Amino acid sequence: MNKFLNLALSCFLSIFSFSQTKKITLDQGILEQNRQFKADKLSGFQWIPNTNNYVYYTDKMTKMMFANAVNNKAIPSLTLDGINKELGTNLKNLSGLEWIDANTILVTDETKFSTYSLLTQSGTKIQEIPERAENQTFDKAKENLAFTEKNNLYFLNKNKEKITVTSETNEGIVSGQSIARNEFGIKNGIFWSPKSNFLAFYQKDQTEVADYPLLDITETPGKLVSIKYPMIGQKSEKPRVGIYNLATKKTVYISPRGNQDDYLTNLSWTPDEKQVFIAELNRGQNDMSLNVYDAHTGTFVRTILNEKNDKWVEPEHPAFFPGNKSDNFVWISEKDGFNNLYYYSIEGKLIQQLTNNKFPIREITGSNAAGTEIYFKATGENPTNMLAYKVDLKGKQTLITKDQGVHNFIANFDGTYFLTNIPILSLHRNH
C-alpha cells in the first residue's frame, strides 16, 4: 500500500498573506522572491536508506532534523557546529551530506571526504583528492573514489592508494569526462560497476577537432582561451568506452561499430556487472543500436534493439534495471511519437510495452525493493504539469499525484511512502 507524507512542503507563497495587508515594492518582488517570499519547503529532504525515516534541514541549513514517516514527529539529530568540531571540517552548511547506510553519512569538504556515524557521533576521513582533481565519483560502497586530472583518469582505492587508469601524454585524448558536449543524456564520464570490480569511462580523441577561441572575462584585461569545438562540416571527436578491471589492472576499449566518430551514449551496467549496455548512434542521428558488450573482454555480444527514423532518433536515458536479480530492463523510447516505457529481456525480446501515453515521460525516478513497480515523472495531459506515476511490469499504470502542478517526487526504499510537494494553486495580488 502506498502512502503520502502530509508534510509542511507546501508551495503556497508567504506573499499570499503578506500582500493582504501591505503593498510590496518592485525591488521586493524581484529580489525577495527566493528569500522573504520564497515557497515553504523541507530543505535537503532525504530518505534514510532502507528505512521509513527521513531527515531535513532547518536554521539556514545548520541543523538536521530526524523524523519517521508514521508520525512525522521531528527531533534534532545533527548540527553544523557538532560535525565541524568532530571532523575538523569547515562546512558552511549541511547541504551535500549523503547517506551511506542507515547510520552513516558521507561528508564532503572541498577535497576531503569523511564518514560520520550518527550512532557514535564520531567520524573518520576516508579519502582526500588532489587540489586539481575534477569529476570525482565514488563507487556505491563509498570506498573507491575516481577522479580526473587534466586529461587522465585515476582513482583512490580503499587503502587510499592512487591508481593510474590512463596516462595519455597527448592532451587531445581525454578520459573520464563527458563527451559529445553532453548531448543524448550524457552527464558524466565515469561509471563504477555495481560491485566495484570494474571502472568504465568515456574517452574522446579530439586531436583533429579544431580549436575555437573564447574570451575569458574573469581577468583584466580579458584573454583568449581555446577550446575544442567541432564546427559544422569539420572533424568531430572519436569516442571510446574504456573498462578498467581492478583485479587484473588491465583496460579494454570499445569503439563504435560504425564510423569512428559515431556517438556512444547511455552507458549502463547489468546488475551482475558482467556486461555493459551502450547506445550507438550514427552521425546522422537517425539510426541507433543498443549494444551489449562483455565487461571482461570488451567483446561485442549482441544488438538488443535498433531504432531508425527518417528524421530523428534521440536516446537520452540509459537502460533501467528494476531489480538487482534480473537482467530484464526498461528502455525509454519515443518511437511511437512520445517517450514511453518498454520492458525487454537482455536477449532483446520485448516482454511488455509498459506505457502507451500520448504525453512525454521525463525520467524514471526509481523502483520498489522487489523490482515490480517503476516510478516515473511525466506531464500528463497538461504539458505545464510534472506528475508522478507508477507502473507495474504488466503495464498497469497509476497516477500518484492527483493535484495539478509541478511535483517534486521522492519515494522511500520500498515504495511504501512517497514525498511530494503541494503545488501552487493560486496567487492573489493586491493592485
Side-chain angles (χ1 to χ4, degrees), residues 42-44 56-64 80 92-96:
L42 295 185
S43 298
Y56 61 95
Y57 304 132
T58 62
D59 297 358
K60 298 181 179 179
M61 305 286 284
T62 63
K63 182 188 295 184
M64 177 187 287
L80 178 64
K92 305 301 181 184
N93 55 60
L94 294 176
S95 65

Coordinates of all heavy atoms in Angstrom, one line a residue, residues 42-44 56-64 80 92-96:
L42 N 10.8 21.7 2.8 CA 11.7 21.0 3.7 C 13.0 21.0 3.0 O 13.2 20.2 2.0 CB 11.2 19.6 4.0 CG 9.9 19.4 4.7 CD1 9.6 18.0 5.0 CD2 9.9 20.2 6.0
S43 N 13.9 21.8 3.5 CA 15.2 21.9 2.8 C 16.1 20.6 3.0 O 16.1 20.1 4.1 CB 16.0 23.1 3.4 OG 15.4 24.3 3.1
G44 N 16.6 20.1 1.9 CA 17.5 19.0 2.0 C 16.9 17.7 2.3 O 17.5 16.8 2.9
Y56 N 15.7 16.4 7.3 CA 15.7 17.6 6.5 C 16.4 18.6 7.4 O 16.8 18.4 8.5 CB 14.2 18.1 6.2 CG 13.4 18.3 7.4 CD1 13.2 19.6 8.0 CD2 12.7 17.3 8.0 CE1 12.4 19.8 9.1 CE2 11.8 17.5 9.1 CZ 11.7 18.8 9.6 OH 11.0 19.0 10.7
Y57 N 16.7 19.8 6.8 CA 17.5 20.8 7.5 C 16.7 22.1 7.9 O 15.8 22.5 7.1 CB 18.7 21.3 6.6 CG 19.5 20.1 6.1 CD1 19.9 20.0 4.8 CD2 20.0 19.1 7.0 CE1 20.7 19.0 4.3 CE2 20.7 18.1 6.6 CZ 21.1 18.0 5.2 OH 21.9 16.9 4.8
T58 N 17.0 22.7 9.0 CA 16.4 23.9 9.4 C 17.5 24.9 9.8 O 18.7 24.6 9.7 CB 15.5 23.7 10.7 OG1 16.3 23.2 11.7 CG2 14.4 22.7 10.3
D59 N 17.1 26.1 10.3 CA 18.1 27.1 10.8 C 19.1 27.4 9.7 O 20.3 27.3 10.0 CB 18.7 26.7 12.1 CG 17.7 26.5 13.2 OD1 16.5 26.8 13.0 OD2 18.1 26.2 14.3
K60 N 18.7 27.7 8.6 CA 19.6 28.0 7.4 C 20.6 26.9 7.1 O 21.8 27.1 6.9 CB 20.3 29.3 7.7 CG 19.4 30.6 7.9 CD 20.2 31.8 8.1 CE 19.3 33.0 8.2 NZ 20.1 34.3 8.5
M61 N 20.0 25.7 7.1 CA 20.8 24.5 6.8 C 21.9 24.2 7.8 O 22.9 23.6 7.4 CB 21.4 24.7 5.4 CG 20.4 25.0 4.3 SD 19.4 23.6 3.8 CE 20.5 22.6 2.8
T62 N 21.7 24.6 9.0 CA 22.8 24.3 10.0 C 22.3 23.2 11.0 O 23.1 22.8 11.9 CB 23.1 25.5 10.8 OG1 22.0 26.0 11.6 CG2 23.6 26.6 9.9
K63 N 21.1 22.7 11.0 CA 20.6 21.7 11.9 C 19.8 20.7 11.1 O 19.0 21.0 10.3 CB 19.6 22.3 12.9 CG 19.1 21.3 14.0 CD 18.1 22.0 14.9 CE 18.6 23.1 15.7 NZ 17.6 23.6 16.7
M64 N 20.2 19.4 11.4 CA 19.5 18.3 10.8 C 18.4 17.8 11.7 O 18.6 17.5 12.9 CB 20.4 17.1 10.5 CG 19.8 15.9 9.9 SD 20.9 14.5 9.7 CE 21.9 15.0 8.3
L80 N 25.6 21.7 12.5 CA 26.8 22.1 11.8 C 28.0 22.2 12.7 O 29.1 21.7 12.4 CB 26.5 23.4 11.0 CG 27.7 23.9 10.2 CD1 28.0 23.0 9.1 CD2 27.3 25.3 9.6
K92 N 30.1 25.3 5.6 CA 29.3 26.5 5.9 C 27.8 26.1 6.1 O 27.1 26.9 6.7 CB 29.4 27.4 4.6 CG 30.8 27.8 4.2 CD 31.5 28.5 5.4 CE 32.9 28.9 4.9 NZ 33.7 29.5 6.0
N93 N 27.4 24.9 5.7 CA 26.1 24.4 6.0 C 26.1 22.9 5.7 O 27.1 22.4 5.4 CB 25.0 25.1 5.1 CG 25.3 25.0 3.6 OD1 25.4 23.9 3.1 ND2 25.5 26.1 2.9
L94 N 24.9 22.3 5.9 CA 24.9 20.8 5.9 C 24.5 20.3 4.5 O 24.3 19.1 4.4 CB 23.9 20.3 6.9 CG 24.3 20.6 8.4 CD1 23.2 20.1 9.3 CD2 25.6 19.8 8.7
S95 N 24.3 21.2 3.5 CA 23.9 20.7 2.2 C 25.0 19.8 1.6 O 26.2 20.1 1.9 CB 23.7 21.9 1.3 OG 24.9 22.6 1.1
G96 N 24.7 18.8 0.9 CA 25.7 18.0 0.3 C 26.0 16.7 1.0 O 26.7 15.8 0.6

